[in-house]
Amino acid sequence: MEDPIVAVDVGTTKVCTLVGELNEESELRIVGIGISPSRGLRKGIVLDIEEATEAIALSVNKAEQISGYEIDSAYVGIAGAHISAVNSRGVAAISRGDRSIVRDDIDRAMQAASAIAIPHNRELLHVIPRGYIVDGQDGVRNPLDLQGIRLEVEAHIVTGASTCIQNLVRCVKGAGVDVVDLIVQPIAAGEAVLTKAEKELGVAVVDIGGGTTDIAVFIDGSVWYTVVLPVGGDHLTHDLAVGLQTPFTAAEMLKVRYGHTMPDTVEPDETIDANSFGDNSHRSVSRRRLTEIIRVRSEEILELILREIKRSGYDGLLPGGVVLCGGTAELAGIKELSREVLGLPVRVGTPRDVQGLLESVKDPAHACGVGLLLWGLRNTRDGSREGSHPGQGVLGHLRHWLSVFSPG
Ligand SMILES: Nc1ncnc2c1ncn2[C@@H]1O[C@H](COP(=O)(O)OP(=O)(O)OP(=O)(O)O)[C@@H](O)[C@H]1O
Ligand SMILES: [Mg+2]
């Protein structure tokens, strides 16, 4: 039997391991899932190696039990505010007699684009072609076999802090799993929830998790902007815990069960019995008050998202609007409030293009995990595993994205 494809999404709230198999039609079937509560992470960054390793190991073990596979390597998602991205241009001269562009020319142009000054404490995570220019003619999607003397590539380059990357890799390895490739979480999420048409048209995927909000802008079928903000659903819970003077776990339950972004939709005198959500103080909580607290903070998070979308400079290029995912995309009324604040069309995205244990991964919270599997699937099909170790995996990514560009 073929090796399975495995994804490990190390989130701030949960660690989720997914095991995928290819069926006869080369479709991805999820045959194993293991979820464990996340520990040792804050805002997407590992702060306690031992705790995070244990949480990852628990999730991997569960997925092994369900799938019957032994997991020895996986595609792993990375987030945290240390992630940063720039767009850069690389040039390669085509000097051979026939002037026909070959893969090596494309690789040279991509290498030139990635030869930007990367500080010694940062590592390259992705170099993604946004488009090519051949002899001054832009808008080229796939330059292979075209005639030309000068090939330019516009590339999107994503880097991360070496220490954060190495700490994450150490935890995954400590759990007995080799990292095949590290993929930035919003790019993975985009793979799972966006349609091809949306990516062509211009769309932003916004994954609002527990500790981070991950944004990637897709235009013309490629990634043009990536950012990770250190805010998420945990802030809502924290505000409720403080505002309603209740433990964090009770506030979390309150948020999920009774939360809403629109206080006006709640009767002013509706109350919730504190005992019902794990607070044994024998009092009751006003639901209107609860939703008011949620409203203020979710509006603030959405304003930060709007600011980032504007900062990208691509805010006018998003007819596909915003696709929300991550656990916080399940907050009641978040879609409506997002439309109001962002002034763009908004939908909630759930993972697509997978078979098998669909029921367990159909939530928006699994966008990143499923996207990692789909990334792995593409990588496997391309046979481009070579060189794809964290920090050295750029060529693997190049090949992957080249195949995305190539028609058919
Ligand atoms: N129905 C719901 N209503 C409101 N919030 C919800 C709901 N379901 C989940 N959440 C919130 O979603 C968050 C977890 O989302 P998710 O599982 O995507 O996070 P994560 O991937 O572990 O974290 P991150 O990606 O930020 O590191 C938590 O804050 C949780 O309270
Ligand atoms: Mg997440």
Side-chain angles (χ1 to χ4, degrees), residues 284-342:
S284 60
V285 166
S286 152
R287 187 166 176 217
R288 178 61 85 82
R289 172 95 187 98
L290 174 135
T291 52
E292 279 165 359
I293 295 172
I294 287 182
R295 166 69 177 226
V296 171
R297 181 65 87 157
S298 43
E299 217 168 57
E300 191 183 294
I301 293 175
L302 286 163
E303 269 154 17
L304 289 174
I305 294 168
L306 177 65
R307 203 168 76 189
E308 277 310 320
I309 292 177
K310 287 204 162 135
R311 186 181 303 189
S312 77
Y314 303 129
D315 47 318
L317 297 176
L318 304 175
V322 166
V323 177
L324 291 180
C325 59
T328 304
E330 293 200 67
L331 175 64
I334 190 78
K335 188 170 77 178
E336 293 72 17
L337 183 62
S338 302
R339 276 191 194 131
E340 248 177 73
V341 176
L342 304 175

Side-chain angles (χ1 to χ4, degrees), residues 2 29 39 49 51 64 81 85 101 112 128 165 174 184 220 232 236 245 271 274 296 308 328 337 344 347 349 356 374:
E2 268 188 68
R29 258 178 64 82
R39 288 166 50 219
I49 297 274
E51 282 190 358
E64 282 180 328
I101 295 170
I128 298 166
I165 293 174
V184 174
D220 285 349
L236 299 174
Q245 304 229 310
T271 58
V296 171
E308 277 310 320
T328 304
L337 183 62
L344 286 164
R347 72 172 179 92
L374 291 170

Side-chain angles (χ1 to χ4, degrees), residues 11-14 185 209-212 233-234 252 255-256 326-328 330-331 365:
T12 309
T13 306
K14 57 159 194 331
Q185 289 183 9
T212 66
D234 285 353
E252 176 69 24
K255 177 183 79 171
V256 171
T328 304
E330 293 200 67
L331 175 64

Side-chain angles (χ1 to χ4, degrees), residues 9-14 79 185 207-210 212 214 326-327 365 368-369:
D9 172 15
V10 188
T12 309
T13 306
K14 57 159 194 331
Q185 289 183 9
D207 179 331
I208 316 178
T212 66
D214 315 333
C368 175

